[in-house]
Amino acid sequence: MICRVGGAVCALPIESTVETFRPLAIEPVSGAPPFVLGLAIVRGQPMPVVDLARLISGTPGRPTRFVVVKTGTRQAALAVDAVLGVREIGASQAQGLPPLIEDANAPAIAAVGALDRELFLVLQAARLVPEGLGERTAGAKLAS
């Protein structure tokens, strides 16, 4: 799943992606880290919403889509600026792409690791991709 997050384009592993949709109402949660926007009710269940731009850069994003990802037995909604599509990236090509969290906001990433190990693993598998990836590749899914 190729998404725009702030000034970056990233690829989330398709096997972790459940669905995408327009943002829902979010109820703030006191004491949550700054990258956690709060809770949204998704299909009748409360789900944490993470501002992916703020998580990786420290700067709030302008989300127009939620991408729901599986985090072990739970799910979380990643607020992204845009979903650009689903593209296949070969395993060898994916290995050559920098990890999404490589130059990310270190304290925020450490907080994710402490709060939700499964979400950390999903983000660890995500990659930064070149701006024109969507135009150069076609396919049905993102290979990891």
Side-chain angles (χ1 to χ4, degrees), residues 88-127:
E88 185 170 342
I89 299 175
S92 61
Q93 184 182 9
Q95 291 298 329
L97 298 174
L100 174 67
I101 60 175
E102 182 175 65
D103 294 324
N105 180 353
I109 295 301
V112 169
L115 295 171
D116 191 333
R117 179 75 178 147
E118 289 84 8
L119 177 57
F120 177 80
L121 293 173
V122 170
L123 296 173
Q124 195 173 37
R127 297 284 182 247

Side-chain angles (χ1 to χ4, degrees), residues 12 48 50 118:
L12 299 169
V50 174
E118 289 84 8

Side-chain angles (χ1 to χ4, degrees), residues 51-86:
D51 181 345
L52 194 53
R54 179 172 264 183
L55 177 66
I56 62 174
S57 72
T59 303
R62 292 182 301 202
T64 65
R65 303 295 284 178
F66 283 177
V67 178
V68 175
V69 294
K70 293 181 278 192
T71 60
T73 59
R74 298 177 315 278
Q75 296 180 347
L78 301 177
V80 301
D81 295 355
V83 172
L84 304 178
V86 177

Side-chain angles (χ1 to χ4, degrees), residues 19 21 24 39-47 75:
E19 65 181 318
F21 47 85
L24 301 172
L39 296 173
I41 303 300
V42 178
R43 307 210 183 287
Q45 299 296 318
M47 183 179 298
Q75 296 180 347

Side-chain angles (χ1 to χ4, degrees), residues 2-16:
I2 309 297
C3 303
R4 180 171 306 285
V5 180
V9 176
C10 69
L12 299 169
I14 196 70
E15 64 271 8
S16 298

